[in-house]
Amino acid sequence: MKTQYARKQENPLFQNYPDEQVLSDLDLLKDGKLNYAALILLGKSEAIRKYLPQNNIVVGFRMYHLMIQYTACKEFQLPLFIAIDKVWDYINQPASNPLLHYNDGSYIFDIPSFNKEAIREAILNACCHRSMLIQSDVVIKQYPDSITITNAGGFRSGVDMNNILTVNSVPRSKLMSEILQKAGLVERSGQGVDKMFYNCIMEGKALPDYSGTDSYQVSLTSKAPILDTAFVIFVRKVQDNRAAAEQLNVFELLALYKMAMRDYEGLDEKIL
């Protein structure tokens, strides 16, 4: 954590600070006692198992959706700063995250079935937004054509499937979310969802699907297949031909995407 925080904040001296000072400065240590955010972010597996056993990430892979038994499964009861890399490495095995190919003229380009940036963001969001009052793991169900990430606790007040791109994020653990932002693991409030939508659009895939969400859990499904190769070629050329400051934002790209997919409901006239 110290290394990542120092790099993100451009403060190399931070790595040399005593651990106790770092914990205190980040409000993970108060009155000589560690809090739950410290346990989730940095606690050893033994401590997590003893004090917060529901702080667990379970990844199960199945070859098809009707399978009851998983083909492979692994549990990660680790500090989040370590768990996020190990969970992604497990998801990102060649057999379970194969490359998809599309042709642009005589050139062949590759797109992974599951985008690293989007999936990591979704997992970190699930860990920050989950309710620890419910004795349930963060569950990741992976199939060849999709990944579903589920965390306990529904959307916070004011957030729903229709406004998730526009409303400000309200994490259940504000402290934990702030530390992950300062260490560069997640974007500023609300921007992580933008990133997930942006990647889906740029790869011509189905948009993030929250339809499995209810009052007790948030369920996010990311789908692997490329729906429209021609749109991928088009939208990448549009962005490549623009200066960084003039590139289309996620809402402008979403309007193009919806037109390409013949989904005209809710298009913003100003953006058009």
Side-chain angles (χ1 to χ4, degrees):
M1 183 191 73
K2 286 163 70 173
T3 301
Q4 292 177 333
Y5 190 97
R7 186 187 304 123
K8 176 68 175 178
Q9 301 299 321
E10 299 181 354
N11 178 16
L13 294 178
F14 188 84
Q15 295 182 72
N16 302 325
Y17 293 171
D19 289 349
E20 191 165 333
Q21 180 184 342
V22 168
L23 293 167
S24 179
D25 289 348
L26 296 179
D27 289 330
L28 296 172
L29 180 70
K30 292 187 175 182
D31 301 323
K33 295 181 179 180
L34 296 166
N35 53 31
Y36 281 118
L39 181 63
I40 295 166
L41 294 173
L42 304 167
K44 291 182 179 179
S45 297
E46 296 82 4
I48 294 171
R49 199 172 298 119
K50 180 178 179 180
Y51 296 108
L52 205 64
Q54 66 269 42
N55 183 43
N56 196 33
I57 302 173
V58 180
V59 184
F61 179 83
R62 292 171 174 81
M63 289 301 298
Y64 52 90
H65 290 264
L66 294 179
M67 282 184 69
I68 297 173
Q69 294 295 329
Y70 46 75
T71 307
C73 184
K74 190 162 186 176
E75 296 190 22
F76 298 86
Q77 200 160 49
L78 298 166
L80 189 54
F81 271 94
I82 292 174
I84 185 58
D85 289 326
K86 292 190 177 296
V87 171
W88 169 249
D89 289 343
Y90 188 75
I91 291 171
N92 190 40
Q93 297 178 73
S96 53
N97 190 20
L99 293 175
L100 309 174
H101 311 288
Y102 71 93
N103 291 77
D104 183 359
S106 58
Y107 296 95
I108 299 174
F109 294 93
D110 301 327
I111 290 177
S113 294
F114 305 109
N115 181 282
K116 177 180 180 179
E117 193 174 45
I119 297 300
R120 282 174 59 100
E121 190 74 32
I123 295 168
L124 289 166
N125 278 355
C127 293
C128 284
H129 291 272
R130 66 161 299 178
S131 170
M132 288 295 178
L133 299 176
I134 300 174
Q135 301 291 314
S136 176
D137 306 320
V138 170
V139 178
I140 302 173
K141 295 180 179 178
Q142 184 176 4
Y143 304 91
D145 64 345
S146 68
I147 285 182
T148 298
I149 301 169
T150 305
N151 64 269
F155 283 135
R156 301 304 301 274
S157 178
V159 181
D160 59 41
M161 287 180 285
N162 298 315
N163 67 9
I164 195 163
L165 259 179
T166 56
V167 73
N168 287 330
S169 175
V170 186
R172 280 186 168 83
S173 174
K174 191 170 186 295
L175 173 60
M176 198 165 79
S177 181
E178 286 176 350
I179 292 171
L180 291 175
Q181 289 172 33
K182 291 174 181 176
L185 282 185
V186 300
E187 296 291 331
R188 291 196 305 275
S189 180
Q191 288 189 343
V193 175
D194 292 16
K195 186 186 291 185
M196 287 187 277
F197 273 78
Y198 182 90
N199 280 303
C200 288
I201 294 168
M202 293 300 293
E203 294 180 351
K205 299 179 179 180
L207 297 176
D209 180 5
Y210 288 92
S211 60
T213 298
D214 57 32
S215 300
Y216 304 100
Q217 66 177 18
V218 172
S219 177
L220 167 62
T221 297
S222 299
K223 297 182 180 178
I226 300 171
L227 301 179
D228 191 335
T229 298
F231 178 76
V232 176
I233 296 168
F234 161 72
V235 77
R236 292 191 174 200
K237 285 181 178 176
V238 167
Q239 292 294 66
D240 289 344
N241 290 331
R242 290 169 172 257
E246 298 174 349
Q247 290 199 341
L248 301 180
N249 63 38
V250 68
F251 299 102
E252 293 164 336
L253 290 171
L254 183 58
L256 286 175
Y257 174 92
K258 287 168 78 74
M259 286 189 285
M261 301 300 167
R262 308 295 190 268
D263 176 15
Y264 307 117
E265 185 177 351
L267 284 171
D268 188 315
E269 289 186 12
K270 292 181 180 179
I271 291 178
L272 293 180

